[in-house]
Amino acid sequence: MTKMDEIFGCKVFNDTIMRERLPKDIYKKVMMTKMEGKPLTKEVADVVANVMKDWALEKGVTHFTHWFQPMTGITAEKHDSFIAPAGNDKVIMEFSGKELIKGEPDASSFPSGGLRSTFEARGYTAWDPTSNAFIKDGILCIPTIFCSYTGEALDKKTPLMRSMETINTQALRILRLLGHDEVTRVTTSVGAEQEYFLIDRKMAAKRKDIAFAGRTLFGAAPPKGQELEDHYFGVIRPRVVAYMKELDEELWKLGILAKTKHNEAAPAQHELAPIYATTNIATDHNQLTMEIMKKVAERHGMKCLLHEKPFEGVNGSGKHNNWSLSTDTGINLLNPGKNPEQNIVFITFLCAVIKAVDEYQDLLRVSVATAGNDHRLGANEAPPAIISIFLGDDITEMLEAVENDSTYFIKKKSTMDIGVEALPNFTKDTTDRNRTSPFAFTGNKFEFRMPGSSLSVSGPNFILNTAVAEVLKEFADELEGKEDFDQVLHRLLQRTIKEHKRIIFNGNNYSDEWLIEAEKRGLLNLKSAPDALPTFVDEKNIRLFTEHGIFTRQEMYSRLEILLENYCKVLNIEALTMLEMARQDIAPAVVAYLNEISSEVAGKKAVFAGACCAYEEAMIEKLSRLLGDMYVVTEKLDEDLTQAHAIGDRTECAKFYRDVVFAGMNSLREIVDSMEVYTAKEYWPMPTYSDLLFSI
Ligand code: ADP
Ligand code: MG
């Protein structure tokens, strides 16, 4: 056995373990549940629970938890031990099928958006057998969904699992029509590339903003930023190498296929990409990855920042959501193959994605709308807030040919002569290398680049799955039972391309011309979260989710409520943190420095006559003026917060935070950053951008 065989998946109750340890018939039933979503009986669950417990006990585990993903954005757990009294002062270790299948955590402290009144605070968690149980921090974790007692979804896993069912159903209808009777299941897969920052832990601990907000709220620009472009793919520092090695190993133990790692564009920024997996598993794995990233960083004396914009003036962090559809027979439905123009499966599914993205631009935008991501989208580093699709010239031309009934000649792909004899000429990649597109076709999958680094990928994926399922449904409704099937399909595809090609854009998404062009095409440009979020409950979107059984109308309103509330809360915490730092740390520091210069001036003046203190006096004047400005701005910010708290309507409240509170925060920051520039380093009460960004 190699070391990797020992490590990989050693903390996971996976298929191999189940095959080894479960009775054959039970194993088969569990697999049916995993593959086809067939429900499990209590008898089967009892056997599985017992075997799972024995496996965990062998590994020294004494507790279990239902592991779930409430609307807070992080994962939640409540630990119970296996212990049960056995009489005579003895205990036995027990774990029943009932405990495996269902838990009843107190749901009252998780956001429900008004779905649940406190007197019916109980929620329940239910085992998701499609995602393997695993051991984390000595606890057996059982992936579960989380619902209210009356069955409303209170988490991020439930809608995702529902969306996987609906896209399976609709995709199978299309595949039947196209003659693929052998396929019995279609799943979506996701590879989530994760960006993050690493900074020194001791330095981070000295900043309240990092502690409370996960990002810096003050900080003058350092002399050196990312302008030399010397970090991207650069040599990784030894401390970071050690971190990445341990991180990989921890992830491998959990069966997470961490694959690539490299430095990113900004100083102290890095990326980790896993090998893709089924959407549900990929989502669980990404949540775990974020958690493990933070934990391992602590062990290495570092802090891992997952915020979308930890530092102003430096690239923020995103999470690229690579998405595709594949069959249980191993076909990737988005793989164009050698002759895409003859690949009717590919063309049909491609057209479905194009139509879905065009019709549900608003929802895709909603899926990435958070206070943190607002700092990124539209800035010159991340995709703009306008949704469009990059297809590349080849595929675009192919679609034009379908639309216009012209023959498509696969152009001999231009080859790049790289000038070194020994290397073969390789085909020039026609996929999106300029990386400005928010939704790019990259060979055999789409890469959605708008999600922020801290986001759960559940949102983007249940929306994408459901939107595409809806279009596949419309296609199937139109095609089923038609005698002249080929003709009807042909016309359907032509019409789809004609009506939705406005969403295709292969150019530079960062250019000003695109803004104008996109507006001409009638594409949405929902610039901030408060603009985007309310579209979630537009009638067409409510229809989409209710018809596909993803949400009830009430669940949608409650989700919107939670999202808007979260936006307001984040800004509120940030503003309060800034006020505290400004008043309690920064003002006293500047006053102390002013004192020193003033006594210095007094001392000098006692000796010299005349203008001996030009610098000091200028500093006294400048810093005193800034202190005065700071007083005015902080008082105003305080009043604005009081006003914000009085606004009843959530959308209005969010807009007030964006337009008034956030503006006040920016004014305060500007003043404080100027103070930092003029204050002696030894007086400045916290590490600076130079300290933080170049601390590792
Ligand atoms: P890049 O940095 O060019 O965007 P990476 O190689 O870093 O590309 O990441 C590509 C991601 O896409 C990986 O996580 C990979 O596993 C994933 N991926 C590859 N094929 C598929 C697919 N068919 N479906 C979903 N994800 C995929
Ligand atoms: Mg990428």
PDB file of all heavy atoms in Angstrom, residues 189-193 232-233 260 262 271 273-277 320 322-325 332 433 435 442 444-447 449, ligand 1:
ATOM      1  N   SER A 189     -22.517  17.780 -12.446  1.00  0.00           N
ATOM      2  CA  SER A 189     -21.295  17.723 -11.642  1.00  0.00           C
ATOM      3  C   SER A 189     -20.683  19.102 -11.518  1.00  0.00           C
ATOM      4  O   SER A 189     -20.888  19.973 -12.371  1.00  0.00           O
ATOM      5  CB  SER A 189     -20.285  16.750 -12.252  1.00  0.00           C
ATOM      6  OG  SER A 189     -20.259  16.885 -13.642  1.00  0.00           O
ATOM      7  N   VAL A 190     -19.948  19.269 -10.454  1.00  0.00           N
ATOM      8  CA  VAL A 190     -19.366  20.577 -10.161  1.00  0.00           C
ATOM      9  C   VAL A 190     -17.933  20.435  -9.668  1.00  0.00           C
ATOM     10  O   VAL A 190     -17.610  19.539  -8.885  1.00  0.00           O
ATOM     11  CB  VAL A 190     -20.214  21.314  -9.085  1.00  0.00           C
ATOM     12  CG1 VAL A 190     -19.428  22.429  -8.423  1.00  0.00           C
ATOM     13  CG2 VAL A 190     -21.478  21.861  -9.708  1.00  0.00           C
ATOM     14  N   GLY A 191     -17.082  21.318 -10.164  1.00  0.00           N
ATOM     15  CA  GLY A 191     -15.736  21.476  -9.622  1.00  0.00           C
ATOM     16  C   GLY A 191     -15.635  22.918  -9.164  1.00  0.00           C
ATOM     17  O   GLY A 191     -15.760  23.833  -9.969  1.00  0.00           O
ATOM     18  N   ALA A 192     -15.458  23.126  -7.861  1.00  0.00           N
ATOM     19  CA  ALA A 192     -15.453  24.490  -7.334  1.00  0.00           C
ATOM     20  C   ALA A 192     -14.023  24.918  -7.020  1.00  0.00           C
ATOM     21  O   ALA A 192     -13.417  24.422  -6.076  1.00  0.00           O
ATOM     22  CB  ALA A 192     -16.317  24.583  -6.088  1.00  0.00           C
ATOM     23  N   GLU A 193     -13.500  25.829  -7.840  1.00  0.00           N
ATOM     24  CA  GLU A 193     -12.147  26.347  -7.573  1.00  0.00           C
ATOM     25  C   GLU A 193     -12.259  27.378  -6.457  1.00  0.00           C
ATOM     26  O   GLU A 193     -13.087  28.276  -6.519  1.00  0.00           O
ATOM     27  CB  GLU A 193     -11.577  27.027  -8.813  1.00  0.00           C
ATOM     28  CG  GLU A 193     -11.419  26.114 -10.000  1.00  0.00           C
ATOM     29  CD  GLU A 193     -11.234  26.931 -11.271  1.00  0.00           C
ATOM     30  OE1 GLU A 193     -10.288  27.731 -11.337  1.00  0.00           O
ATOM     31  OE2 GLU A 193     -12.051  26.779 -12.186  1.00  0.00           O
ATOM     32  N   TYR A 232       1.350  35.695  -9.196  1.00  0.00           N
ATOM     33  CA  TYR A 232       0.555  34.694  -9.894  1.00  0.00           C
ATOM     34  C   TYR A 232       1.421  33.538 -10.380  1.00  0.00           C
ATOM     35  O   TYR A 232       2.394  33.737 -11.093  1.00  0.00           O
ATOM     36  CB  TYR A 232      -0.147  35.358 -11.075  1.00  0.00           C
ATOM     37  CG  TYR A 232      -1.221  34.512 -11.709  1.00  0.00           C
ATOM     38  CD1 TYR A 232      -2.256  34.001 -10.949  1.00  0.00           C
ATOM     39  CD2 TYR A 232      -1.197  34.243 -13.065  1.00  0.00           C
ATOM     40  CE1 TYR A 232      -3.252  33.234 -11.530  1.00  0.00           C
ATOM     41  CE2 TYR A 232      -2.191  33.480 -13.655  1.00  0.00           C
ATOM     42  CZ  TYR A 232      -3.214  32.984 -12.876  1.00  0.00           C
ATOM     43  OH  TYR A 232      -4.195  32.226 -13.461  1.00  0.00           O
ATOM     44  N   PHE A 233       1.092  32.343  -9.986  1.00  0.00           N
ATOM     45  CA  PHE A 233       1.845  31.145 -10.357  1.00  0.00           C
ATOM     46  C   PHE A 233       3.309  31.234  -9.942  1.00  0.00           C
ATOM     47  O   PHE A 233       4.139  30.485 -10.430  1.00  0.00           O
ATOM     48  CB  PHE A 233       1.768  30.864 -11.872  1.00  0.00           C
ATOM     49  CG  PHE A 233       0.489  30.192 -12.275  1.00  0.00           C
ATOM     50  CD1 PHE A 233      -0.722  30.593 -11.743  1.00  0.00           C
ATOM     51  CD2 PHE A 233       0.491  29.153 -13.188  1.00  0.00           C
ATOM     52  CE1 PHE A 233      -1.910  29.964 -12.105  1.00  0.00           C
ATOM     53  CE2 PHE A 233      -0.690  28.518 -13.554  1.00  0.00           C
ATOM     54  CZ  PHE A 233      -1.893  28.936 -13.012  1.00  0.00           C
ATOM     55  N   THR A 260      -5.281  20.804  -7.817  1.00  0.00           N
ATOM     56  CA  THR A 260      -4.308  21.835  -8.168  1.00  0.00           C
ATOM     57  C   THR A 260      -4.224  22.892  -7.089  1.00  0.00           C
ATOM     58  O   THR A 260      -5.208  23.187  -6.421  1.00  0.00           O
ATOM     59  CB  THR A 260      -4.695  22.575  -9.467  1.00  0.00           C
ATOM     60  OG1 THR A 260      -6.085  22.460  -9.645  1.00  0.00           O
ATOM     61  CG2 THR A 260      -3.955  22.041 -10.637  1.00  0.00           C
ATOM     62  N   HIS A 262      -2.106  26.749  -6.529  1.00  0.00           N
ATOM     63  CA  HIS A 262      -1.112  27.706  -7.001  1.00  0.00           C
ATOM     64  C   HIS A 262      -1.349  29.069  -6.378  1.00  0.00           C
ATOM     65  O   HIS A 262      -2.379  29.298  -5.753  1.00  0.00           O
ATOM     66  CB  HIS A 262      -1.103  27.802  -8.531  1.00  0.00           C
ATOM     67  CG  HIS A 262      -2.435  28.178  -9.129  1.00  0.00           C
ATOM     68  ND1 HIS A 262      -2.922  29.452  -9.093  1.00  0.00           N
ATOM     69  CD2 HIS A 262      -3.377  27.448  -9.766  1.00  0.00           C
ATOM     70  CE1 HIS A 262      -4.103  29.483  -9.698  1.00  0.00           C
ATOM     71  NE2 HIS A 262      -4.408  28.280 -10.105  1.00  0.00           N
ATOM     72  N   GLU A 271      -4.984  29.549  -4.577  1.00  0.00           N
ATOM     73  CA  GLU A 271      -6.176  28.859  -5.060  1.00  0.00           C
ATOM     74  C   GLU A 271      -6.044  27.363  -4.893  1.00  0.00           C
ATOM     75  O   GLU A 271      -4.950  26.808  -5.011  1.00  0.00           O
ATOM     76  CB  GLU A 271      -6.403  29.164  -6.546  1.00  0.00           C
ATOM     77  CG  GLU A 271      -7.646  28.480  -7.093  1.00  0.00           C
ATOM     78  CD  GLU A 271      -7.783  28.595  -8.604  1.00  0.00           C
ATOM     79  OE1 GLU A 271      -7.989  29.714  -9.091  1.00  0.00           O
ATOM     80  OE2 GLU A 271      -7.682  27.556  -9.274  1.00  0.00           O
ATOM     81  N   ALA A 273      -8.058  23.812  -6.320  1.00  0.00           N
ATOM     82  CA  ALA A 273      -9.134  23.248  -7.140  1.00  0.00           C
ATOM     83  C   ALA A 273      -9.219  21.748  -6.896  1.00  0.00           C
ATOM     84  O   ALA A 273      -8.208  21.058  -6.874  1.00  0.00           O
ATOM     85  CB  ALA A 273      -8.883  23.525  -8.614  1.00  0.00           C
ATOM     86  N   PRO A 274     -10.415  21.248  -6.686  1.00  0.00           N
ATOM     87  CA  PRO A 274     -10.602  19.809  -6.539  1.00  0.00           C
ATOM     88  C   PRO A 274     -10.956  19.196  -7.888  1.00  0.00           C
ATOM     89  O   PRO A 274     -11.300  19.917  -8.819  1.00  0.00           O
ATOM     90  CB  PRO A 274     -11.813  19.724  -5.618  1.00  0.00           C
ATOM     91  CG  PRO A 274     -12.653  20.894  -6.033  1.00  0.00           C
ATOM     92  CD  PRO A 274     -11.700  21.969  -6.519  1.00  0.00           C
ATOM     93  N   ILE A 275     -10.887  17.886  -7.978  1.00  0.00           N
ATOM     94  CA  ILE A 275     -11.469  17.215  -9.141  1.00  0.00           C
ATOM     95  C   ILE A 275     -12.977  17.218  -8.935  1.00  0.00           C
ATOM     96  O   ILE A 275     -13.461  17.034  -7.822  1.00  0.00           O
ATOM     97  CB  ILE A 275     -10.929  15.778  -9.265  1.00  0.00           C
ATOM     98  CG1 ILE A 275      -9.420  15.840  -9.548  1.00  0.00           C
ATOM     99  CG2 ILE A 275     -11.662  15.012 -10.350  1.00  0.00           C
ATOM    100  CD1 ILE A 275      -8.731  14.505  -9.531  1.00  0.00           C
ATOM    101  N   TYR A 276     -13.699  17.452 -10.029  1.00  0.00           N
ATOM    102  CA  TYR A 276     -15.136  17.647  -9.886  1.00  0.00           C
ATOM    103  C   TYR A 276     -15.863  16.399  -9.373  1.00  0.00           C
ATOM    104  O   TYR A 276     -15.372  15.284  -9.503  1.00  0.00           O
ATOM    105  CB  TYR A 276     -15.741  18.100 -11.214  1.00  0.00           C
ATOM    106  CG  TYR A 276     -15.693  17.072 -12.319  1.00  0.00           C
ATOM    107  CD1 TYR A 276     -16.784  16.247 -12.548  1.00  0.00           C
ATOM    108  CD2 TYR A 276     -14.578  16.932 -13.124  1.00  0.00           C
ATOM    109  CE1 TYR A 276     -16.757  15.300 -13.561  1.00  0.00           C
ATOM    110  CE2 TYR A 276     -14.533  15.989 -14.132  1.00  0.00           C
ATOM    111  CZ  TYR A 276     -15.618  15.171 -14.342  1.00  0.00           C
ATOM    112  OH  TYR A 276     -15.574  14.233 -15.326  1.00  0.00           O
ATOM    113  N   ALA A 277     -17.042  16.617  -8.811  1.00  0.00           N
ATOM    114  CA  ALA A 277     -17.866  15.530  -8.284  1.00  0.00           C
ATOM    115  C   ALA A 277     -19.335  15.877  -8.501  1.00  0.00           C
ATOM    116  O   ALA A 277     -19.654  16.989  -8.933  1.00  0.00           O
ATOM    117  CB  ALA A 277     -17.597  15.357  -6.792  1.00  0.00           C
ATOM    118  N   HIS A 320     -14.856  29.721  -8.662  1.00  0.00           N
ATOM    119  CA  HIS A 320     -15.370  29.379  -9.988  1.00  0.00           C
ATOM    120  C   HIS A 320     -16.140  28.075  -9.920  1.00  0.00           C
ATOM    121  O   HIS A 320     -15.620  27.060  -9.465  1.00  0.00           O
ATOM    122  CB  HIS A 320     -14.225  29.273 -10.990  1.00  0.00           C
ATOM    123  CG  HIS A 320     -13.563  30.586 -11.261  1.00  0.00           C
ATOM    124  ND1 HIS A 320     -12.426  30.727 -12.017  1.00  0.00           N
ATOM    125  CD2 HIS A 320     -13.902  31.838 -10.867  1.00  0.00           C
ATOM    126  CE1 HIS A 320     -12.087  32.002 -12.076  1.00  0.00           C
ATOM    127  NE2 HIS A 320     -12.961  32.692 -11.380  1.00  0.00           N
ATOM    128  N   ASN A 322     -17.465  25.247 -11.877  1.00  0.00           N
ATOM    129  CA  ASN A 322     -17.447  24.511 -13.145  1.00  0.00           C
ATOM    130  C   ASN A 322     -18.586  23.505 -13.115  1.00  0.00           C
ATOM    131  O   ASN A 322     -18.677  22.700 -12.191  1.00  0.00           O
ATOM    132  CB  ASN A 322     -16.111  23.787 -13.317  1.00  0.00           C
ATOM    133  CG  ASN A 322     -14.960  24.771 -13.444  1.00  0.00           C
ATOM    134  OD1 ASN A 322     -14.656  25.232 -14.535  1.00  0.00           O
ATOM    135  ND2 ASN A 322     -14.339  25.117 -12.326  1.00  0.00           N
ATOM    136  N   TRP A 323     -19.416  23.547 -14.147  1.00  0.00           N
ATOM    137  CA  TRP A 323     -20.675  22.789 -14.101  1.00  0.00           C
ATOM    138  C   TRP A 323     -20.910  22.026 -15.400  1.00  0.00           C
ATOM    139  O   TRP A 323     -20.683  22.573 -16.481  1.00  0.00           O
ATOM    140  CB  TRP A 323     -21.800  23.792 -13.868  1.00  0.00           C
ATOM    141  CG  TRP A 323     -23.201  23.267 -13.840  1.00  0.00           C
ATOM    142  CD1 TRP A 323     -23.892  22.858 -12.746  1.00  0.00           C
ATOM    143  CD2 TRP A 323     -24.108  23.137 -14.951  1.00  0.00           C
ATOM    144  NE1 TRP A 323     -25.164  22.480 -13.101  1.00  0.00           N
ATOM    145  CE2 TRP A 323     -25.323  22.640 -14.444  1.00  0.00           C
ATOM    146  CE3 TRP A 323     -24.004  23.388 -16.322  1.00  0.00           C
ATOM    147  CZ2 TRP A 323     -26.433  22.393 -15.262  1.00  0.00           C
ATOM    148  CZ3 TRP A 323     -25.102  23.138 -17.129  1.00  0.00           C
ATOM    149  CH2 TRP A 323     -26.300  22.651 -16.589  1.00  0.00           C
ATOM    150  N   SER A 324     -21.294  20.787 -15.287  1.00  0.00           N
ATOM    151  CA  SER A 324     -21.701  20.053 -16.485  1.00  0.00           C
ATOM    152  C   SER A 324     -22.720  18.991 -16.119  1.00  0.00           C
ATOM    153  O   SER A 324     -23.055  18.797 -14.953  1.00  0.00           O
ATOM    154  CB  SER A 324     -20.498  19.413 -17.164  1.00  0.00           C
ATOM    155  OG  SER A 324     -20.090  18.293 -16.413  1.00  0.00           O
ATOM    156  N   LEU A 325     -23.216  18.327 -17.160  1.00  0.00           N
ATOM    157  CA  LEU A 325     -24.253  17.304 -16.990  1.00  0.00           C
ATOM    158  C   LEU A 325     -23.719  16.002 -17.552  1.00  0.00           C
ATOM    159  O   LEU A 325     -23.202  15.991 -18.669  1.00  0.00           O
ATOM    160  CB  LEU A 325     -25.430  17.646 -17.897  1.00  0.00           C
ATOM    161  CG  LEU A 325     -26.403  18.740 -17.564  1.00  0.00           C
ATOM    162  CD1 LEU A 325     -26.987  19.273 -18.874  1.00  0.00           C
ATOM    163  CD2 LEU A 325     -27.506  18.164 -16.711  1.00  0.00           C
ATOM    164  N   ASN A 332     -20.709  12.890 -21.116  1.00  0.00           N
ATOM    165  CA  ASN A 332     -20.845  14.281 -20.702  1.00  0.00           C
ATOM    166  C   ASN A 332     -21.690  14.984 -21.766  1.00  0.00           C
ATOM    167  O   ASN A 332     -21.279  15.107 -22.913  1.00  0.00           O
ATOM    168  CB  ASN A 332     -19.457  14.918 -20.581  1.00  0.00           C
ATOM    169  CG  ASN A 332     -19.530  16.397 -20.234  1.00  0.00           C
ATOM    170  OD1 ASN A 332     -20.603  17.013 -20.264  1.00  0.00           O
ATOM    171  ND2 ASN A 332     -18.386  16.976 -19.916  1.00  0.00           N
ATOM    172  N   ARG A 433      -9.685  32.326 -22.566  1.00  0.00           N
ATOM    173  CA  ARG A 433      -8.454  32.591 -21.831  1.00  0.00           C
ATOM    174  C   ARG A 433      -8.397  33.996 -21.268  1.00  0.00           C
ATOM    175  O   ARG A 433      -7.580  34.297 -20.420  1.00  0.00           O
ATOM    176  CB  ARG A 433      -7.230  32.302 -22.711  1.00  0.00           C
ATOM    177  CG  ARG A 433      -6.966  30.831 -22.899  1.00  0.00           C
ATOM    178  CD  ARG A 433      -6.553  30.153 -21.598  1.00  0.00           C
ATOM    179  NE  ARG A 433      -7.382  28.994 -21.327  1.00  0.00           N
ATOM    180  CZ  ARG A 433      -7.395  28.335 -20.168  1.00  0.00           C
ATOM    181  NH1 ARG A 433      -6.633  28.705 -19.178  1.00  0.00           N
ATOM    182  NH2 ARG A 433      -8.174  27.304 -20.009  1.00  0.00           N
ATOM    183  N   ARG A 435     -10.715  35.307 -19.621  1.00  0.00           N
ATOM    184  CA  ARG A 435     -11.319  35.118 -18.307  1.00  0.00           C
ATOM    185  C   ARG A 435     -12.180  36.276 -17.834  1.00  0.00           C
ATOM    186  O   ARG A 435     -12.339  36.490 -16.644  1.00  0.00           O
ATOM    187  CB  ARG A 435     -10.218  34.877 -17.260  1.00  0.00           C
ATOM    188  CG  ARG A 435      -9.430  33.664 -17.573  1.00  0.00           C
ATOM    189  CD  ARG A 435      -8.350  33.398 -16.569  1.00  0.00           C
ATOM    190  NE  ARG A 435      -8.038  31.981 -16.610  1.00  0.00           N
ATOM    191  CZ  ARG A 435      -8.649  31.074 -15.890  1.00  0.00           C
ATOM    192  NH1 ARG A 435      -9.589  31.421 -15.070  1.00  0.00           N
ATOM    193  NH2 ARG A 435      -8.319  29.814 -16.006  1.00  0.00           N
ATOM    194  N   THR A 442     -16.026  26.152 -21.323  1.00  0.00           N
ATOM    195  CA  THR A 442     -14.597  25.835 -21.307  1.00  0.00           C
ATOM    196  C   THR A 442     -14.375  24.377 -21.719  1.00  0.00           C
ATOM    197  O   THR A 442     -13.931  23.552 -20.942  1.00  0.00           O
ATOM    198  CB  THR A 442     -13.976  26.112 -19.926  1.00  0.00           C
ATOM    199  OG1 THR A 442     -14.807  25.516 -18.924  1.00  0.00           O
ATOM    200  CG2 THR A 442     -13.865  27.589 -19.640  1.00  0.00           C
ATOM    201  N   ASN A 444     -15.892  21.428 -22.183  1.00  0.00           N
ATOM    202  CA  ASN A 444     -16.955  20.421 -21.999  1.00  0.00           C
ATOM    203  C   ASN A 444     -17.775  20.723 -20.749  1.00  0.00           C
ATOM    204  O   ASN A 444     -18.403  19.848 -20.171  1.00  0.00           O
ATOM    205  CB  ASN A 444     -16.369  19.015 -21.918  1.00  0.00           C
ATOM    206  CG  ASN A 444     -15.396  18.884 -20.757  1.00  0.00           C
ATOM    207  OD1 ASN A 444     -15.184  19.838 -20.002  1.00  0.00           O
ATOM    208  ND2 ASN A 444     -14.816  17.722 -20.604  1.00  0.00           N
ATOM    209  N   LYS A 445     -17.718  21.976 -20.332  1.00  0.00           N
ATOM    210  CA  LYS A 445     -18.426  22.387 -19.111  1.00  0.00           C
ATOM    211  C   LYS A 445     -18.576  23.894 -19.161  1.00  0.00           C
ATOM    212  O   LYS A 445     -17.921  24.562 -19.976  1.00  0.00           O
ATOM    213  CB  LYS A 445     -17.598  22.004 -17.886  1.00  0.00           C
ATOM    214  CG  LYS A 445     -16.219  22.683 -17.843  1.00  0.00           C
ATOM    215  CD  LYS A 445     -15.364  22.127 -16.716  1.00  0.00           C
ATOM    216  CE  LYS A 445     -14.067  22.831 -16.471  1.00  0.00           C
ATOM    217  NZ  LYS A 445     -13.193  23.228 -17.545  1.00  0.00           N
ATOM    218  N   PHE A 446     -19.441  24.423 -18.311  1.00  0.00           N
ATOM    219  CA  PHE A 446     -19.530  25.874 -18.171  1.00  0.00           C
ATOM    220  C   PHE A 446     -18.884  26.281 -16.861  1.00  0.00           C
ATOM    221  O   PHE A 446     -19.030  25.603 -15.845  1.00  0.00           O
ATOM    222  CB  PHE A 446     -20.989  26.335 -18.192  1.00  0.00           C
ATOM    223  CG  PHE A 446     -21.552  26.449 -19.574  1.00  0.00           C
ATOM    224  CD1 PHE A 446     -22.323  25.424 -20.107  1.00  0.00           C
ATOM    225  CD2 PHE A 446     -21.285  27.563 -20.351  1.00  0.00           C
ATOM    226  CE1 PHE A 446     -22.835  25.522 -21.396  1.00  0.00           C
ATOM    227  CE2 PHE A 446     -21.788  27.675 -21.638  1.00  0.00           C
ATOM    228  CZ  PHE A 446     -22.570  26.649 -22.165  1.00  0.00           C
ATOM    229  N   GLU A 447     -18.178  27.398 -16.918  1.00  0.00           N
ATOM    230  CA  GLU A 447     -17.537  27.901 -15.712  1.00  0.00           C
ATOM    231  C   GLU A 447     -18.230  29.193 -15.304  1.00  0.00           C
ATOM    232  O   GLU A 447     -18.113  30.212 -15.976  1.00  0.00           O
ATOM    233  CB  GLU A 447     -16.047  28.146 -16.004  1.00  0.00           C
ATOM    234  CG  GLU A 447     -15.284  28.658 -14.810  1.00  0.00           C
ATOM    235  CD  GLU A 447     -13.768  28.679 -15.044  1.00  0.00           C
ATOM    236  OE1 GLU A 447     -13.294  28.173 -16.086  1.00  0.00           O
ATOM    237  OE2 GLU A 447     -13.064  29.226 -14.179  1.00  0.00           O
ATOM    238  N   ARG A 449     -18.291  32.222 -13.079  1.00  0.00           N
ATOM    239  CA  ARG A 449     -17.189  32.853 -12.340  1.00  0.00           C
ATOM    240  C   ARG A 449     -17.630  33.946 -11.382  1.00  0.00           C
ATOM    241  O   ARG A 449     -16.797  34.649 -10.821  1.00  0.00           O
ATOM    242  CB  ARG A 449     -16.194  33.449 -13.334  1.00  0.00           C
ATOM    243  CG  ARG A 449     -15.554  32.412 -14.225  1.00  0.00           C
ATOM    244  CD  ARG A 449     -14.500  33.077 -15.088  1.00  0.00           C
ATOM    245  NE  ARG A 449     -13.800  32.106 -15.906  1.00  0.00           N
ATOM    246  CZ  ARG A 449     -13.602  32.235 -17.211  1.00  0.00           C
ATOM    247  NH1 ARG A 449     -14.085  33.298 -17.841  1.00  0.00           N
ATOM    248  NH2 ARG A 449     -12.940  31.319 -17.878  1.00  0.00           N
TER     249      ARG A 449
HETATM  250  P1  ADP B   1      -8.954  26.927 -14.674  1.00  0.00           P
HETATM  251  O1  ADP B   1      -8.007  27.447 -13.610  1.00  0.00           O
HETATM  252  O2  ADP B   1      -8.471  27.007 -16.049  1.00  0.00           O
HETATM  253  O3  ADP B   1     -10.329  27.487 -14.536  1.00  0.00           O
HETATM  254  P2  ADP B   1      -8.747  24.416 -13.263  1.00  0.00           P
HETATM  255  O4  ADP B   1      -8.082  23.226 -13.849  1.00  0.00           O
HETATM  256  O5  ADP B   1      -8.096  25.141 -12.135  1.00  0.00           O
HETATM  257  O6  ADP B   1      -9.103  25.368 -14.465  1.00  0.00           O
HETATM  258  O7  ADP B   1     -10.184  23.997 -12.743  1.00  0.00           O
HETATM  259  C1  ADP B   1     -11.088  23.380 -13.545  1.00  0.00           C
HETATM  260  C2  ADP B   1     -12.125  22.764 -12.665  1.00  0.00           C
HETATM  261  O8  ADP B   1     -13.162  22.232 -13.484  1.00  0.00           O
HETATM  262  C3  ADP B   1     -11.617  21.604 -11.813  1.00  0.00           C
HETATM  263  O9  ADP B   1     -12.174  21.666 -10.553  1.00  0.00           O
HETATM  264  C4  ADP B   1     -12.139  20.408 -12.608  1.00  0.00           C
HETATM  265  O10 ADP B   1     -12.293  19.246 -11.843  1.00  0.00           O
HETATM  266  C5  ADP B   1     -13.459  20.929 -13.080  1.00  0.00           C
HETATM  267  N1  ADP B   1     -14.050  20.152 -14.170  1.00  0.00           N
HETATM  268  C6  ADP B   1     -13.434  19.520 -15.186  1.00  0.00           C
HETATM  269  N2  ADP B   1     -14.328  18.837 -15.942  1.00  0.00           N
HETATM  270  C7  ADP B   1     -15.548  19.052 -15.388  1.00  0.00           C
HETATM  271  C8  ADP B   1     -16.871  18.621 -15.678  1.00  0.00           C
HETATM  272  N3  ADP B   1     -17.128  17.823 -16.701  1.00  0.00           N
HETATM  273  N4  ADP B   1     -17.852  19.054 -14.869  1.00  0.00           N
HETATM  274  C9  ADP B   1     -17.607  19.858 -13.829  1.00  0.00           C
HETATM  275  N5  ADP B   1     -16.398  20.280 -13.517  1.00  0.00           N
HETATM  276  C10 ADP B   1     -15.375  19.899 -14.263  1.00  0.00           C
END
